[in-house]
Amino acid sequence: MTLRVLRSFLKPLRLALLAAATFLCSTAGAQVVYDHFDSPALDDMLWLDNHAVSSWQTGSELHLSAATGQGTSLPSQQQLRGDLEVVMDWRGYQAGASGGNLTLQVQEPNQVSFYYMMREDGSFGSRIGFYAVGNPGGGGPFTVSTGATAGLFRIVRSGSQISGYYDIGAGWVLLGTYTSAYIGDAGFQMGIWNLPHVAMDYVLYSGTPIYAIPDIQINGSDGPLTVAAGTTLDITIALEANLFAGQPGREFVVALRQAGVPFWCRGPGSWVPSASPLPFRSSPLASFAPTSVLNTSQVPPGTYELKYAARPATGAADMRVDSAIVTIQ
């Protein structure tokens, strides 16, 4: 058995064991894998990437690298309601000569208040901290000195209390708890500043996801994908409606080309060129399993960006979009 095959076998087992262990000590319910970073590129269905630093995915890990004085955050496209928990695995941490940091953060939508675990280096030395901005009830900040280059961060909200944990090899340690914390809908994000390198193996969460999450794939892949002319392409879409289930909305499926007007899917196998958006479906949003909307080997050479959007009637702010890119040579 090769190392790559062995790793592909062991990783789901490791995640399952971690999820089970986390569940036993969690107040927020069973863990779900938010992202295992197995695709060729960062999944825009899950994260909002502003491309401020170098990022790549390889070996089932997300790698980030920021030049001196640069940094970025990668906010989740999803938000959670009620009690919640977010876990992030990090490894390969390298600080810049003038310091740097890695964060896992939970925040209210407009970030008036937020709470974050941080691995940081600077004039104060090397440490892990749990910080609050905007509503620091219960004291803090909470810090512990460490030079660890790998570990786990965990943020748990239960009612109006929010706690930060870390694990650098000896099991979970509670770093601190803030009381009177923000209790409304919350997002989460990863961030780095001034780090030559850090990697994440996975992000887990528990809680009640809010937004409808669309998914589009090409031949079972999130892309980018390169195939030879004449290869059969099977484009599938799926939807998790979450708390928008049953609410009026519209769905759009479009193929964007390098030249020419886009093609809009009007139903499985029916694609229409149009400069204006044409809906795939207008009806209450509902979850459904992967469904093929195109299966053909007759697509001309070129690069195509496929997008699937679910827009609730509540407006564009609640719309979520997934995309996949294919190049036919």
Side-chain angles (χ1 to χ4, degrees):
M1 182 179 288
T2 67
L3 179 60
R4 183 173 183 178
V5 172
L6 180 62
R7 176 172 183 155
S8 68
F9 172 77
L10 290 177
K11 182 174 180 179
L13 178 62
R14 185 174 77 250
L15 288 175
L17 292 173
L18 176 62
T22 305
F23 170 74
L24 293 176
C25 59
S26 169
T27 61
Q31 288 286 350
V32 177
V33 177
Y34 187 75
D35 199 351
H36 44 52
F37 305 117
D38 278 348
S39 59
L42 193 67
D43 192 340
D44 61 350
M45 177 182 69
L46 302 176
W47 307 101
L48 180 62
D49 185 4
N50 59 19
H51 303 286
V53 302
S54 177
S55 69
W56 66 98
Q57 292 188 186
T58 184
S60 298
E61 294 177 349
L62 167 66
H63 299 260
L64 299 174
S65 178
T68 301
Q70 293 185 350
T72 192
S73 60
L74 301 173
S76 64
Q77 293 280 24
Q78 186 57 270
Q79 290 182 12
L80 305 174
R81 182 165 294 172
D83 289 353
L84 61 85
E85 180 173 3
V86 183
V87 175
M88 180 180 75
D89 170 286
W90 52 275
R91 55 190 60 198
Y93 174 95
Q94 299 175 18
S98 58
N101 60 65
L102 162 72
T103 61
L104 172 66
Q105 177 173 304
V106 169
Q107 73 275 339
E108 59 180 298
N110 58 8
Q111 295 202 51
V112 170
S113 66
F114 51 93
Y115 310 84
Y116 59 101
M117 293 291 299
M118 176 182 283
R119 169 69 176 92
E120 55 185 329
D121 286 272
S123 58
F124 44 77
S126 299
R127 66 189 184 188
I128 289 175
F130 183 43
Y131 304 96
V133 173
N135 188 24
F142 307 97
T143 63
V144 59
S145 297
T146 180
T149 59
L152 297 165
F153 285 156
R154 176 175 171 232
I155 300 177
V156 179
R157 184 176 70 180
S158 178
S160 61
Q161 293 189 341
I162 191 162
S163 301
Y165 299 78
Y166 68 92
D167 179 356
I168 52 176
W172 287 113
V173 177
L174 171 63
L175 188 55
T177 298
Y178 294 98
T179 59
S180 303
Y182 170 73
I183 62 173
D185 297 345
F188 54 92
Q189 66 182 31
M190 307 176 292
I192 70 166
W193 180 78
N194 209 46
L195 297 185
H197 177 263
V198 70
M200 293 81 169
D201 191 30
Y202 53 80
V203 172
L204 311 175
Y205 80 93
S206 64
T208 303
I210 297 171
Y211 294 111
I213 296 297
D215 182 33
I216 188 166
Q217 294 191 342
I218 305 168
N219 291 357
S221 170
D222 293 322
L225 190 66
T226 301
V227 301
T231 299
T232 297
L233 297 182
D234 185 26
I235 299 172
T236 60
I237 60 172
L239 184 69
E240 289 289 340
N242 293 317
L243 294 187
F244 280 89
Q247 296 193 27
R250 292 192 295 171
E251 299 163 60
F252 298 86
V253 181
V254 62
L256 304 175
R257 303 181 290 168
Q258 292 175 312
V261 298
F263 276 88
W264 300 86
C265 183
R266 303 286 280 163
S270 175
W271 293 74
V272 178
S274 174
S276 301
L278 298 174
F280 171 76
R281 181 163 46 211
S282 298
S283 63
L285 298 177
S287 300
F288 62 91
T291 300
S292 180
V293 293
L294 182 67
N295 190 294
T296 182
S297 59
Q298 304 301 311
V299 179
T303 297
Y304 301 83
E305 183 176 13
L306 283 299
K307 290 181 175 287
Y308 172 32
R311 176 171 177 165
T314 50
D318 294 328
M319 181 173 70
R320 291 297 181 269
V321 182
D322 188 32
S323 66
I325 297 176
V326 61
T327 298
I328 303 172
Q329 298 180 333

